[in-house]
Amino acid sequence: MPAQIIDGKRIAQQIRSGLAQKILEMLAQGKTRPGLAVVLVGDNPASKLYVSMKQKACKEVGIYSEEHRLPAEVTQDQLLALIDELNGDPKIHGILVQLPLPAHLDEEEVIMRIHPDKDVDGFNPVNVGKMCIGSRAYLPCTPAGIMKLIDTINYDPAGKKAVVIGRSNIVGKPIAQLLLQRDATVTICHSKTKDLVAECRQADILVAAVGQPEMVKGDWVKPGAVVIDVGINRRDGKTVGDVEFDSVNEVAGWITPVPGGVGPMTIAMLLTNTVVAADK
Ligand code: NDP
């Protein structure tokens, strides 16, 4: 029997409708409209696409958004000066610097400069630290979206074995933390893992955040597992995930499609964080 599809697009749309309603209520109470500043450096086509999708989503739910485009040659000091300005701007509740930045810029310093209260991406070490100790924080958007998807299917991670492939700061490490906080027993795999397939076969929850098109095959997956495909890769003119959908669909209990799974949730969680920041 094929797996049940976890429809991230539909769930994200429900979250967006709820946010639109929430913003109307905030305005009726005399609160300010939530505002998001998006900073784009250079003209990486993928980054431009992500920024335009985020701005469109802001507009749809009623978040004020402004885009700051800087040339690829911008200096670190100029970029930090813009962040300082946005940190002090009362119209702006969330600041997002689209990554990756050009190689001459110090990404870590830029992220650290965003005030933790406006760090709606959840990348500032203050928020990362709070997340790790289970304290209130802006959760990074993609992992937060994945947890929402798991909750939507009423799947309780407690006592389950979760395997995360990938250990990036934006997906792999934080999703492992969030699953751990929900009492899963978590294994993090990466490019030096000895027997990746054997690890994956034990997973009740398998999260693939690798960036390798269709790497995870059906015979890597435990029957009935929840498979979360974070990957966004281009292959033969199509967008595919890190999971080979057709073969895994035959074995898994639940699966997120690509596109239409984790991707829309990432944007929905960014909007959620921005509204929470404004409502503080
Ligand atoms: P990174 O490139 O930062 O990390 C990839 C991770 O995968 C690394 O930890 C790497 O290991 C590991 N890895 C690479 N190859 C292998 C392999 N053959 N076997 C085991 N592990 C491997 O990627 P991101 O975490 O930023 O993104 C992962 C994917 O998710 C990408 O396709 C990206 O486009 C997508 N993405 C999707 C989002 C969404 O909203 N849907 C949001 C963010 C990312 P090591 O550390 O040892 O190098």
Side-chain angles (χ1 to χ4, degrees):
M1 202 171 70
Q4 295 187 53
I5 305 290
I6 309 178
D7 186 349
K9 196 171 168 193
R10 185 180 56 79
I11 299 161
Q13 191 51 53
Q14 285 169 356
I15 293 172
R16 282 153 74 148
S17 302
L19 290 174
Q21 184 58 38
K22 165 92 183 155
I23 291 170
L24 290 178
E25 286 164 19
M26 285 168 67
L27 295 177
Q29 290 163 9
K31 295 184 177 165
T32 30
R33 185 179 289 283
L36 176 72
V38 182
V39 180
L40 176 62
V41 182
D43 47 19
N44 175 323
S47 294
K48 275 166 122 175
L49 176 67
Y50 292 140
V51 164
S52 75
M53 284 162 66
K54 288 167 186 172
Q55 289 209 292
K56 190 164 161 258
C58 281
K59 201 168 168 196
E60 186 195 301
V61 301
I63 292 176
Y64 164 75
S65 76
E66 56 185 41
E67 184 180 324
H68 296 264
R69 280 193 184 213
L70 301 175
E73 326 67 75
V74 71
T75 66
Q76 183 79 3
D77 285 346
Q78 287 167 325
L79 180 52
L80 293 178
L82 172 61
I83 306 276
D84 289 344
E85 192 189 307
L86 295 170
N87 278 336
D89 185 341
K91 293 195 302 304
I92 297 302
H93 306 95
I95 303 169
L96 179 154
V97 177
Q98 186 65 45
L99 303 178
L101 292 173
H104 70 281
L105 296 170
D106 180 347
E107 222 164 76
E108 201 180 317
E109 189 185 22
V110 171
I111 289 169
M112 284 178 70
R113 194 67 159 245
I114 298 172
H115 192 286
D117 288 348
K118 295 194 176 188
D119 170 38
V120 286
D121 252 342
F123 294 161
N124 184 299
V126 171
N127 287 322
V128 175
K130 282 186 174 177
M131 177 193 67
C132 289
I133 61 170
S135 163
R136 210 178 132 81
Y138 296 120
L139 299 179
C141 302
T142 302
I146 293 171
M147 294 311 293
K148 282 262 179 223
L149 291 177
I150 292 174
D151 287 341
T152 305
I153 59 166
N154 290 319
Y155 190 91
D156 183 3
K160 302 293 194 313
K161 178 147 175 71
V163 172
V164 177
I165 323 175
R167 56 175 165 180
S168 71
N169 290 335
I170 61 169
V171 190
K173 284 181 198 154
I175 187 61
Q177 273 296 332
L178 296 181
L179 287 164
L180 178 64
Q181 275 164 27
R182 295 286 296 278
D183 298 327
T185 302
V186 184
T187 301
I188 306 176
C189 298
H190 45 78
S191 65
K192 309 290 184 298
T193 296
K194 281 255 158 51
D195 191 344
L196 180 63
V197 178
E199 297 290 348
C200 291
R201 281 186 183 142
Q202 294 182 48
D204 300 304
I205 303 171
L206 179 61
V207 180
V210 202
Q212 300 286 339
E214 301 178 313
M215 186 178 90
V216 175
K217 313 290 183 203
D219 62 356
W220 294 29
V221 173
K222 181 174 171 177
V226 177
V227 178
I228 306 287
D229 188 354
V230 184
I232 302 177
N233 311 289
R234 294 294 290 173
R235 174 175 265 181
D236 303 332
K238 269 179 36 189
T239 300
V240 297
D242 291 339
V243 170
E244 187 182 69
F245 186 88
D246 288 346
S247 63
V248 173
N249 188 32
E250 292 303 314
V251 188
W254 289 268
I255 186 168
T256 61
V258 176
V262 175
M265 293 300 289
T266 298
I267 296 184
M269 298 323 292
L270 170 71
L271 303 177
T272 302
N273 282 348
T274 305
V275 173
V276 169
D279 197 27
K280 263 188 175 173

